[in-house]
Amino acid sequence: MSRKTDIQELFRGLRAGNIAQLSRAITLTESGRPEDQQMAMALIDRVLPYSGNSVRIGITGVPGVGKSTFIDAFGMKLIEKGAKVAVLAIDPSSSVGKGSILGDKTRMERLSVHPGSFIRPSATWGHLGGLTYKTKEAIILCEAAGYEYILVETVGVGQSETEVSQLTDFFLLLMLTGAGDELQGIKRGIMEMADAVLIHKADGDNLGKAKLARTEYARALHFLPPKPSGWSPKTLIASALSGLGIDEVVALIWQFVQQQKRSGYFEQRRAEQNRYTFRKLLREGIMNEIFQDPEMRQLISRSEHAVVRQEQSPYSAVFNILRLRKR
Ligand code: GDP
């Protein structure tokens, strides 16, 4: 089959909401083969006009906080309201070909068997930087396939949260009560990005503690600098187990989207994200191209040595490299 008919078939499948074709399209974007990459790019450009019509929600928190259980409950609630829900789970511990803990679909028991949902674990090619555009492509494909809520789940801490907040409209941070001091350092940076902090597992003996923690987090959030969007981060308590607070999360995100759309910030944030991805890809692309040339590689390596030994200033070294590059 020719490439063109293949793309056409994928396009039709996607637009018809065919899950197998959606999976295939995402696999194409993840492939390292140049011909697959080209097909993926052509397909994405083709579906771009049909994308964007979803709410993209980033969900993060340390392992064990209950992300998948929460997503199961939250996703089912959205489905009950008639929405189609896609879950893209980013697992930095896995790489393509190896097993993935997030690949275990039983983690979302109800959602994974519901026809209104699509769950896709994605590996990160061993570095988190690759995550932004791979996941972005997956988001676009899911939207073109008619998914109205895209939940992007990340495990753990660090760079991936920054990346996810670049990808999504709403960033939800799940927390536990009584987390030790060792977590505080992590929390502050991530908390600044959060649109809502949710104290999870608010059930049984933990309910009272969760309510207290909520007050404390509300106070802490109050001291953060205001967001350019004008949204002040909210605190919530919820339990995926008892179902407490899940409706509130749905309502809060609805309120957020309405407010941000009214102010124009919703579109502005997405435009900024597109610009971020474009610039990042461009920088990486230029660097890769330079490093592919063996002569340039040698020159860069020699220059770096000279700079380290103070035989040349970084300014003149870079100037020199760029001048030679143009020839
Ligand atoms: P993840 O690593 O963040 O995805 O966490 P999981 O969803 O796998 O949950 C970790 C553990 O917490 C599991 O044993 C769950 O049964 C438990 N758990 C998840 N949600 C809740 C909840 O709302 N309340 C309580 N008490 N336990 C929960």
Side-chain angles (χ1 to χ4, degrees):
M1 201 187 322
S2 83
R3 222 185 85 196
K4 219 167 158 189
T5 45
D6 224 12
I7 293 172
Q8 184 62 16
E9 192 196 307
L10 276 171
F11 174 77
R12 284 217 197 92
L14 272 190
R15 294 295 295 141
N18 182 312
I19 284 187
Q21 300 282 48
L22 173 59
S23 284
R24 219 185 119 213
I26 296 178
T27 304
L28 271 185
T29 69
E30 290 170 348
S31 161
R33 292 171 55 202
E35 56 272 35
D36 288 348
Q37 283 293 319
Q38 278 193 354
M39 244 179 96
M41 280 189 285
L43 181 64
I44 301 237
D45 277 344
R46 181 85 200 269
V47 301
L48 214 50
Y50 305 93
S51 73
N53 205 12
S54 81
V55 182
R56 306 167 180 172
I57 304 168
I59 297 172
T60 196
V62 293
V65 71
K67 290 180 295 298
S68 28
T69 321
F70 170 80
I71 289 172
D72 197 38
F74 176 58
M76 284 309 293
K77 187 65 81 178
L78 294 170
I79 281 181
E80 270 169 33
K81 293 185 186 294
K84 280 179 76 182
V85 178
V87 181
L88 304 172
I90 296 163
D91 177 2
S93 68
S94 80
S95 60
V96 173
K98 284 198 212 142
S100 152
I101 37 167
L102 289 181
D104 179 2
K105 286 199 172 183
T106 56
R107 291 169 76 248
M108 294 161 201
E109 271 174 19
R110 287 173 298 162
L111 205 56
S112 62
V113 294
H114 197 285
S117 84
F118 174 77
I119 300 178
R120 172 84 180 201
S122 73
T124 55
W125 294 97
H127 75 110
L128 291 171
L131 166 151
T132 315
Y133 39 88
K134 294 295 167 212
T135 309
K136 186 147 200 158
E137 287 174 330
I139 290 174
I140 291 167
L141 293 169
C142 288
E143 287 173 347
Y147 290 87
E148 294 139 319
Y149 286 87
I150 319 278
L151 315 183
V152 181
E153 175 191 3
T154 42
V155 199
V157 289
Q159 182 65 20
S160 63
E161 281 78 11
T162 323
E163 296 282 324
V164 171
S165 73
Q166 279 292 339
L167 283 173
T168 53
D169 306 314
F170 187 91
F171 192 52
L172 179 66
L173 172 63
L174 301 195
M175 300 288 290
L176 294 172
T177 56
D181 272 353
E182 70 274 13
L183 287 176
Q184 300 297 324
I186 302 164
K187 275 184 228 157
R188 205 160 299 133
I190 301 171
M191 243 163 68
E192 287 183 20
M193 288 186 274
D195 294 301
V197 174
L198 183 148
I199 321 295
H200 196 220
K201 304 194 187 181
D203 44 48
D205 291 345
N206 218 16
L207 182 57
K209 277 189 260 172
K211 285 181 182 164
L212 279 177
R214 180 186 187 175
T215 317
E216 276 168 31
Y217 279 114
R219 198 175 306 135
L221 287 173
H222 191 70
F223 288 112
L224 292 179
K227 286 181 183 289
S229 61
W231 175 260
S232 48
K234 306 292 187 289
T235 49
L236 298 154
I237 56 169
S239 161
L241 224 56
S242 74
L244 173 92
I246 307 294
D247 275 326
E248 282 77 1
V249 183
V250 176
L252 182 72
I253 292 175
W254 180 246
Q255 184 200 341
F256 173 89
V257 171
Q258 297 311 307
Q259 184 193 316
Q260 300 285 289
K261 284 199 167 162
R262 234 180 294 123
S263 71
Y265 197 80
F266 193 85
E267 292 310 321
Q268 197 186 322
R269 181 161 165 169
R270 285 202 178 167
E272 283 305 324
Q273 290 170 343
N274 286 340
R275 198 197 315 277
Y276 170 90
T277 309
F278 169 72
R279 289 187 175 171
K280 193 180 153 93
L281 281 174
L282 184 63
R283 263 197 309 273
E284 286 178 10
I286 291 173
M287 288 297 279
N288 281 343
E289 219 180 85
I290 290 179
F291 276 98
Q292 260 161 22
D293 177 347
E295 268 181 52
M296 287 307 281
R297 253 202 325 267
Q298 272 186 8
L299 174 64
I300 290 169
S301 165
R302 273 203 312 276
S303 305
E304 194 171 289
H305 271 101
V307 167
V308 170
R309 289 197 301 267
Q310 299 226 58
E311 292 160 8
Q312 195 179 12
S313 82
Y315 304 99
S316 77
V318 170
F319 181 79
N320 213 13
I321 289 168
L322 294 182
R323 193 168 49 95
L324 285 171
R325 159 101 187 121
K326 277 196 205 123
R327 281 206 255 140

